[in-house]
Amino acid sequence: MNRNPLSLRHSPRRLRRHPAMRGMLQEHQLTPADFILPIFLVEGEGIRNEIGSMPGVFRHSVDSALKLCGEAVARGVSGVLLFGVIAETCKDAGGSASWDKDGLVQKAIRAIRAAYPDLLVIADACFCEYTDHGHCGILSADGDRDDNATLENLQRQALSYAEAGVHVVAPSGMVDGMVSAIREALDAGCHSEVSILSYAVKYASAFYGPFRDAADSTPQFGDRRAYQMDPANRREAFRELDLDIAEGCDMVMVKPAMPYLDMVRDLRVRCDLPVLTYQVSGEYSMLQAAARAGWLDLQRSVLESLLGMKRAGADAIITYYALDAAEWLG
C-alpha cells in the first residue's frame, strides 16, 4: 500500500468532513445583531420609492420607515442609520434644514424611539444632502470647504438630533476636529449619554456612486478628494484614528468595507474601541447586478462578503442587506 505518513499525520480536511465538526470549529459567525440598516427618508406619507441604482432599496416617508423598523426589530437587527433626502427648494449653502427641530430626520428619530424603544437609532451627521452645492459643509469664496464654519453647523445638527432622542450621532464629513466639536456641544447641551460613531477612516471611493443617486447628494462641481482619504494611503488612517479617539469618539468606522478589509483589521489591532464598517451602496449594487445576471448566488455571496468583514475584525456592519441577511441566517 502506498501512503505518505506525513500527509496522514497532518490532514486539515479531517476537521471539515462532518457538518457538525465544521459548525463546532467555525471561528467567526454572523448574527442579525451584527447589522445596522441604513434608511433613506423623504417627506410625505405612504411613500416607498425604489432607487434605480440600488434595486431593492427604497426611499421612505417616516410612516413607511416605521414599518421597515418593525421588520428590523422582528429579525433581530440591532439598529438603523438615518439619512434625510430633502427637496431642492429646501436646500441652502449651509445645510440649515439639517438642524431644524421639526426636520425630516428629527421627526423620524422621535417616531422610531416611540414605536421601537429597543432599536438603536443612529443619525448620519453631514451636509451633502442639505446643501445646494452638494458638498459636506460651508464653502469659502474660493470653493474650498470652510472647516471652522462647518464645525459650528455640525454642532447645531448634532444637538438637534440629540434633542430629538437619537442614541448615536455619526459624523461622516471628514472635517478636522468634528468629534471634539460634537462632543463639546452634546455635553454642554446635557446630552453626554449620546454616543459618537466617527467615520474615522473614510476613503474617496468610486463605490459611493449609487448613494449619491439615493441621497441626491452629488456635488455640483468638483469632488470630495480634498477631505476624504486617498485610497492609496494606510498610515494616514492611523493618524485619523488617533485624533478621533483623542477627541472623544466612542466608536470608529471604516468606509467602504470590502476594498478596505486590511484597514478594518489594522484598526481592530490598533485600538480597543468598537470598529464598524459600512458595506456601501456600490458594494450592494454590484452584488445585486451580478446576481440578477445569474453570475453569483446572491445569498451565498452576500453572506460571504459580510463574514469577511466580521473576520477582519468588524464589531458591527452597516449594510443595505441587513434585513435579507438576518432572514437568511434564520
Side-chain angles (χ1 to χ4, degrees):
M1 179 184 297
N2 293 325
R3 66 180 185 176
N4 183 337
L6 186 61
S7 67
L8 291 177
R9 197 175 299 129
H10 301 286
S11 176
R13 192 178 170 216
R14 293 191 190 110
L15 302 183
R16 304 177 192 140
R17 288 182 176 274
H18 196 286
M21 182 78 79
R22 293 195 299 271
M24 179 180 70
L25 300 179
Q26 189 175 47
E27 297 176 32
H28 300 89
Q29 296 180 335
L30 290 168
T31 71
D34 292 326
F35 306 137
I36 295 165
L37 176 68
I39 300 178
F40 296 105
L41 299 164
V42 293
E43 293 285 2
E45 293 184 7
I47 296 174
R48 183 178 179 269
N49 294 332
E50 189 169 27
I51 299 161
S53 57
M54 300 179 69
V57 177
F58 299 79
R59 295 189 189 94
H60 296 269
S61 54
V62 173
D63 59 317
S64 179
L66 283 176
K67 296 176 184 177
L68 197 65
C69 290
E71 293 181 44
V73 170
R75 298 184 194 186
V77 171
S78 286
V80 292
L81 173 60
L82 305 179
F83 298 93
V85 184
I86 65 172
E88 289 294 328
T89 54
C90 297
K91 298 181 180 183
D92 59 29
S96 62
S98 68
W99 62 81
D100 182 345
K101 66 181 178 62
D102 295 316
L104 181 56
V105 172
Q106 288 82 351
K107 288 188 292 187
I109 292 168
R110 289 191 289 267
I112 296 168
R113 285 293 310 270
Y116 303 105
D118 294 330
L119 186 66
L120 187 69
V121 182
I122 308 170
D124 179 81
C126 194
F127 298 104
C128 56
E129 306 100 319
Y130 299 97
T131 55
D132 51 16
H133 46 71
H135 281 280
C136 304
I138 293 179
L139 300 182
S140 59
D142 61 2
D144 193 15
R145 188 176 66 186
D146 183 335
D147 281 1
N148 289 332
T150 299
L151 288 175
E152 293 179 9
N153 284 353
L154 265 177
Q155 290 180 313
R156 296 183 178 100
Q157 186 182 45
L159 192 57
S160 177
Y161 291 158
E163 290 170 349
V166 81
H167 297 110
V168 183
V169 173
S172 61
M174 294 294 285
V175 186
D176 290 348
M178 63 185 185
V179 172
S180 179
I182 290 173
R183 185 74 273 159
E184 178 184 323
L186 292 174
D187 291 351
C190 300
H191 295 289
S192 59
E193 78 286 354
V194 175
S195 301
I196 298 175
L197 164 61
S198 175
Y199 287 64
V201 179
K202 181 179 179 179
Y203 286 92
S205 174
F207 287 91
Y208 302 149
F211 176 93
R212 291 171 184 170
D213 177 29
D216 191 20
S217 61
T218 302
Q220 297 299 307
F221 59 90
D223 55 40
R224 297 177 180 140
R225 287 182 291 180
Y227 40 95
Q228 294 176 358
M229 284 181 53
D230 187 329
N233 291 357
R234 179 169 175 259
R235 294 192 305 271
E236 182 184 6
F238 303 153
R239 188 179 187 196
E240 292 282 1
L241 171 70
D242 292 345
L243 286 169
D244 283 359
I245 291 175
E247 291 177 20
C249 71
D250 301 286
M251 298 175 279
V252 295
M253 185 197 302
V254 175
K255 180 183 180 183
M258 194 154 57
Y260 299 97
L261 293 184
D262 59 325
M263 301 312 307
V264 175
R265 169 52 58 187
D266 282 342
L267 265 64
R268 174 69 289 141
V269 171
R270 193 175 178 91
C271 81
D272 294 327
L273 294 182
V275 175
L276 283 70
T277 194
Y278 194 147
Q279 186 183 47
V280 300
S281 59
E283 297 175 72
Y284 172 89
S285 293
M286 70 181 185
L287 290 173
Q288 279 286 328
R292 288 171 183 243
W295 300 334
L296 288 176
D297 178 289
L298 184 64
Q299 178 175 334
R300 290 187 62 191
S301 58
V302 168
L303 291 178
E304 182 177 339
S305 67
L306 296 172
L307 186 59
M309 297 164 202
K310 185 78 177 286
R311 187 184 63 247
D315 295 291
I317 301 166
I318 301 166
T319 174
Y320 302 96
Y321 286 112
L323 295 183
D324 288 334
E327 183 176 4
W328 293 332
L329 292 169

